[in-house]
């Protein structure tokens, strides 16, 4: 649970009351986010451009650290000290926790004027609301269950196609290893470990098992033969990574595939943003494919921004302009073309997007209908921040310590799942 003392909350609320000046001018908008890699920064710059075009002053509060754990820590300290940013990258169940603290601005006026309820899939609109009121604006839809590959490496190793099953995957990985290259580029940080783990669970057990075990945290599913097989498969992937993996940032890991040092990377499609920022061409310089066994499923990760209650009308005007800009068709196209994600706004023209994105857009709709559209745990879409953190730590301990047995890991995941 978010720990905001009563005093701290009182301080924040007092700061957010105050009088509203009669005349509204362009305001300053400080945005806390963690988009600091090549592709991420290029994408964030598009939002800055739009806001400056509206005459606002953009104050970039970027906190490095993929996956956002560092940014979440900094945000808490800013709010507790009564100095919240205008907007912050907050997503999934954390939106509800921040809203329950009474510190988020109500965005209904903008959402109604801009007809967000008709422009967003219901699953997304609902995730942006607290007690029926909009308190966050969605930016995109990232798909997490991807594997990225370097076609030159596959060719050199004699791998004819992207693997669709784990038997094919490990056969390909053996060939890449035999060719003297790194089969799997992996960054050893807990959110990256879990990004790989959740794709394995989805591929080995399917969408229903994934939801039972990792979203509902059902002890029966966690302590099942399917979970045993998932953990064994996950551990086997470790044997194809390089010794320098521990602690490596995700984008430096993507660069290994880009440079032909490694064959595969399990990563969400923000990795595509890195390839594109380096001028690489999908289908020619890099390949995208659903992680083995997950072609008919879609692990979603929706980035969003929540606005904090601020007292001045200028600041509120800037916040409203930010929310309108984020959901605008122009930004939805430009940002997502750079970020590797797809627009969250419905009925967007996808003609400028590449085949990876077009596959994502098609599958997002189809998996929603088929019931195989699932939230990413690794990217804070599914469970409380406390449970997510505890489960991630257990899975990373299992990845890092071969002495932890599969049976131990299942027991530890079960108890971590009970974290409130
Ligand atoms: C995710 C975030 C993405 C991407 C990634 C790496 O949690 O939703 O936008 O940036 O982290 O930092």
């Amino acid at each position: 649970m978010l720990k905001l003392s009563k005093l701290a909350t009182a301080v924040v609320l007092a700061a957010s009351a105050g009088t509203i000046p009669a005349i509204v001018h362009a305001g300053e908008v400080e945005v806390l986010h963690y988009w600091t890699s090549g592709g991420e920064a290029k994408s964030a710059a598009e939002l800055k451009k739009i806001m400056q075009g509206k005459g606002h002053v953009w104050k970039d509060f970027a906190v490095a650290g993929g996956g956002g754990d560092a940014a979440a820590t900094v945000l808490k300290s800013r709010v507790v000290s009564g100095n919240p940013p205008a907007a912050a990258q907050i997503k999934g169940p954390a939106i509800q926790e921040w809203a329950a603290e009474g510190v988020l601005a109500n965005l209904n006026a903008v959402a109604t004027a801009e007809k967000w309820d008709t422009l967003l899939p219901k699953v997304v609109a609902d995730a942006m609301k607290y007690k029926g009121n909009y308190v966050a604006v969605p930016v995109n839809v990232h798909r997490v269950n991807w594997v990225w590959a370097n076609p030159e490496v596959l060719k050199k190793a004699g791998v004819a196609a992207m693997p669709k099953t784990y038997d094919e995957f490990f056969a390909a990985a053996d060939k890449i290893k035999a060719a003297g290259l790194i089969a799997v580029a992996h960054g050893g940080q807990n959110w990256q470990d879990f990004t790989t783990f959740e794709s394995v669970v989805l591929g080995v057990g399917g969408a229903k098992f994934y939801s039972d075990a990792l979203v509902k945290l059902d002890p029966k599913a966690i302590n099942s033969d399917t979970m045993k097989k998932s953990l064994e498969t996950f551990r086997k992937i470790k044997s194809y990574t390089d010794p320098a993996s521990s602690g490596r940032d995700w984008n430096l890991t993507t660069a290994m595939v880009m440079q032909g040092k490694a064959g595969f990377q399990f990563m969400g499609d923000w990795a595509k943003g890195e390839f594109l920022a380096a001028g690489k061409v999908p289908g020619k310089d890099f390949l995208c494919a659903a992680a083995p066994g997950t072609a008919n499923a879609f692990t979603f990760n929706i980035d969003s921004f929540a606005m904090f209650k601020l007292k001045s009308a200028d600041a509120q005007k800037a916040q409203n302009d930010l929310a309108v800009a984020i959901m605008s068709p122009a930004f939805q196209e430009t940002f997502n073309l750079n970020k590797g994600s797809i627009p969250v706004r419905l009925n967007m023209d996808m003609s400028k997007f590449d085949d990876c994105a077009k596959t994502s857009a098609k599958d997002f709709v189809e998996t929603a209908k088929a019931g195989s559209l699932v939230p990413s745990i690794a990217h804070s879409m599914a469970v409380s921040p406390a449970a997510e953190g505890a489960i991630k730590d257990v899975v990373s301990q299992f990845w890092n310590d071969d002495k932890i047995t599969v049976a131990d890991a299942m027991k530890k995941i079960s108890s971590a799942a009970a974290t409130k």
Side-chain angles (χ1 to χ4, degrees):
M1 226 2 225
L2 194 64
K3 295 275 178 278
L4 271 183
S5 72
K6 287 276 170 284
L7 171 64
T9 305
V11 164
V12 170
L13 292 181
S16 63
T19 54
I20 292 181
I23 302 167
V24 174
H25 302 289
E28 174 185 284
V29 61
E30 183 184 22
V31 181
L32 186 151
H33 64 89
Y34 51 89
W35 289 330
T36 56
S37 75
E40 291 172 329
K42 199 157 171 273
S43 310
E46 292 303 324
L47 190 50
K48 176 179 176 179
K49 226 186 282 177
I50 291 180
M51 289 304 285
Q52 288 175 328
K54 290 172 181 260
H56 296 300
V57 174
W58 171 279
K59 206 170 157 201
D60 206 52
F61 192 82
V63 180
D69 289 349
T73 304
V74 172
L75 175 61
K76 277 188 196 131
S77 60
R78 283 286 301 267
V79 176
V80 168
S81 62
N83 173 30
Q89 198 177 344
I90 298 173
K91 54 187 191 173
I95 294 172
Q96 306 303 312
E97 293 203 351
W98 277 110
E101 296 293 337
V103 293
L104 300 187
N106 181 319
L107 299 177
N108 281 346
V110 168
T112 306
E114 298 290 312
K115 301 185 174 47
W116 287 1
D117 275 342
T118 63
L119 296 173
L120 293 170
K122 189 173 183 315
V123 65
V124 176
D126 290 348
M128 299 299 126
K129 293 174 184 173
Y130 177 71
K131 293 185 176 169
N133 298 309
Y134 275 99
V135 291
V137 53
V139 181
N140 59 4
V141 179
H142 272 302
R143 184 177 202 169
V144 181
N145 59 306
W146 287 110
V147 168
W148 305 91
N150 182 314
E152 276 310 303
V153 170
L154 301 192
K155 199 163 147 226
K156 216 180 278 177
V159 175
M162 287 296 275
K164 291 187 171 56
T165 66
Y166 275 102
D167 287 345
E168 291 173 5
F169 179 83
F170 289 119
D174 284 333
K175 287 181 177 173
I176 295 168
K177 220 172 160 178
L181 294 163
I182 295 164
V184 178
H186 180 81
Q189 295 169 347
N190 79 349
W191 70 271
Q192 296 188 64
D193 300 342
F194 210 94
T195 296
T196 301
F197 178 65
E198 67 183 30
S199 281
V200 170
V201 170
L202 187 62
V204 169
K208 181 175 180 325
F209 175 74
Y210 174 101
S211 298
D212 289 346
L214 299 183
V215 182
K216 292 180 191 142
L217 303 175
D218 173 359
K220 273 200 310 304
I222 294 173
N223 293 287
S224 65
D225 283 347
T226 308
M227 180 56 80
K228 178 172 178 290
K229 190 161 172 256
S230 301
L231 285 160
E232 287 164 348
T233 304
F234 178 59
R235 173 159 274 167
K236 190 172 177 183
I237 292 173
K238 169 85 182 284
S239 63
Y240 292 94
T241 61
D242 65 298
S245 156
S246 177
R248 184 169 49 217
D249 286 333
W250 70 273
N251 51 317
L252 302 181
T253 305
T254 306
M256 292 166 67
V257 177
M258 215 183 290
Q259 294 154 9
K261 293 176 184 156
F264 298 122
Q265 182 186 19
F266 286 80
M267 192 44 72
D269 44 25
W270 46 91
K272 191 176 79 173
E274 297 304 295
F275 286 109
L276 298 178
K280 302 300 179 189
V281 176
K284 175 176 161 294
D285 302 317
F286 66 94
L287 304 175
C288 61
T294 72
N296 299 324
F298 190 118
T299 319
F300 69 84
N301 167 30
I302 294 165
D303 285 313
S304 49
F305 282 93
M307 316 283 170
F308 283 84
K309 285 177 180 170
L310 296 176
K311 61 175 189 258
S312 93
D314 293 1
Q316 289 169 8
K317 171 79 171 62
Q319 288 176 317
N320 289 342
D321 285 354
L322 181 65
V324 170
I326 288 170
M327 273 291 284
S328 68
F331 174 78
Q332 282 289 313
E333 179 173 89
T334 312
F335 176 86
N336 287 294
L337 280 170
N338 283 286
K339 189 71 169 62
S341 37
I342 58 173
V344 69
R345 182 183 175 121
L346 292 170
N347 310 318
M348 284 286 296
D349 172 7
M350 292 297 287
S351 55
K352 287 187 188 152
F353 287 82
D354 58 40
D355 288 347
C356 302
K358 286 175 180 159
T359 301
S360 247
K362 178 177 71 64
D363 292 350
F364 185 62
V365 172
E366 286 174 8
T367 55
K369 286 185 197 132
S372 51
L373 175 65
V374 292
S376 167
I377 290 85
H379 297 280
S380 312
M381 290 286 115
V383 297
S384 72
E388 176 192 319
I391 297 171
K392 276 176 174 174
D393 287 347
V394 164
V395 166
S396 286
Q397 284 159 22
F398 174 75
W399 175 267
N400 291 319
D401 181 353
D402 290 346
K403 291 190 297 306
I404 298 177
T405 66
V406 166
D408 291 341
M410 293 201 284
K411 279 196 205 93
K412 287 167 179 270
I413 293 173
S414 288
S415 49
T419 308
K420 292 284 172 250

